[in-house]
């Protein structure tokens, strides 16, 4: 049913998932997917619900995601893998009179995600920084028109379109840099 040109998207979305469920998909099933529709790029964007207000140690999450990535690499050996970090998530800080601020566990989780990408040899894109960093979720919620929901956790379709554009620009820039390096190496 997919065309022979353009981009085909296969979405393994499970709302509220940490992404760890992917390691339970049988290797045989994933390899069958690969035979039917060869994968070029796998984008992993999970973890927002893993972050907590005081989350400091995400070692067990890291260990699980390293297993997921190894599983995907075995199933899709020709595919590149990109890990997209969690975005900003705000909470009401009772120590600051209920002021909204970035949940500290988010920044800790992003550090773990960077390490996951580095240790597994895959690409990483920091969506938190692309959103604008500290306090960016509140700015997206109050943008005109709004680009995020009033739960100060989830972006909406406009926010998704905005961030998708930034990711697209990053991917195209990376491809241009790769092509330049390859041309330089051939000289």
């Amino acid at each position: 049913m997919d065309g022979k040109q353009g981009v085909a998207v296969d979405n393994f979305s499970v709302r509220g998932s940490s992404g760890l469920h992917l390691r339970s998909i049988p290797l045989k099933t994933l390899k069958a997917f690969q035979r039917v529709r060869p994968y070029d790029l796998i984008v992993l964007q999970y973890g927002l619900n893993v972050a907590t207000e005081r989350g400091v140690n995400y070692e067990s999450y890291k260990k699980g995601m390293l297993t997921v990535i190894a599983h995907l690499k075995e199933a899709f050996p020709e595919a590149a893998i990109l890990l997209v970090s969690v975005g900003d998530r705000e909470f009401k800080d009772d120590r600051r009179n209920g002021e909204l601020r970035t949940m500290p566990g988010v920044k800790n989780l992003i550090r773990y995600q960077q390490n996951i990408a580095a240790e597994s040899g895959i690409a990483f894109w920091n969506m938190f920084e692309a959103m604008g960093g500290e306090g960016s979720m509140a700015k997206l919620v109050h943008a005109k028109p709004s680009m995020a929901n009033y739960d100060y956790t989830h972006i909406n379709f406009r926010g998704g379109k905005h961030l998708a554009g930034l990711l697209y620009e990053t991917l195209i820039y990376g491809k241009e840099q790769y092509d330049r390096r390859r041309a330089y190496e051939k000289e």
Side-chain angles (χ1 to χ4, degrees), residues 73-153:
K73 282 182 168 187
E74 186 175 354
F76 307 101
E78 300 299 316
I81 301 176
L82 169 65
L83 177 61
V84 175
S85 81
V86 295
D88 190 24
R89 180 177 179 182
E90 311 252 330
F91 79 112
K92 288 185 179 181
D93 190 343
D94 293 333
R95 297 175 302 190
R96 295 187 182 179
N97 296 326
E99 175 185 321
L100 283 169
R101 67 184 195 99
T102 295
M103 187 180 287
V106 165
K107 293 188 279 186
N108 292 332
L109 180 56
I110 292 168
R111 282 190 280 276
Y112 275 86
Q113 290 178 318
Q114 288 173 317
N115 287 329
I116 290 166
E119 285 184 32
S120 58
I122 64 171
F124 178 79
W125 187 62
N126 193 327
M127 186 168 74
F128 177 82
E129 290 299 327
M131 289 174 74
E134 184 90 23
S136 59
M137 182 56 76
K139 291 176 185 167
L140 293 175
V141 168
H142 300 292
K144 299 293 181 208
S146 178
M147 292 195 283
N149 299 331
Y150 276 94
D151 63 0
Y152 295 92
T153 301

Side-chain angles (χ1 to χ4, degrees), residues 24-81:
S24 65
I25 301 172
L27 198 56
K28 181 179 175 182
T29 302
L30 293 175
K31 287 185 176 195
F33 290 166
Q34 174 67 9
R35 279 191 301 279
V36 172
R37 166 58 72 193
Y39 286 58
D40 297 311
L41 175 64
I42 297 170
V43 179
L44 299 173
Q45 198 238 335
Y46 294 99
L48 188 58
N49 292 321
V50 172
T52 62
E53 283 182 32
R54 294 178 183 24
V56 176
N57 185 338
Y58 295 103
E59 199 61 42
S60 63
Y61 176 73
K62 177 182 171 185
K63 183 178 177 185
M65 283 306 292
L66 288 170
T67 303
V68 166
I69 292 165
H71 187 61
L72 292 172
K73 282 182 168 187
E74 186 175 354
F76 307 101
E78 300 299 316
I81 301 176

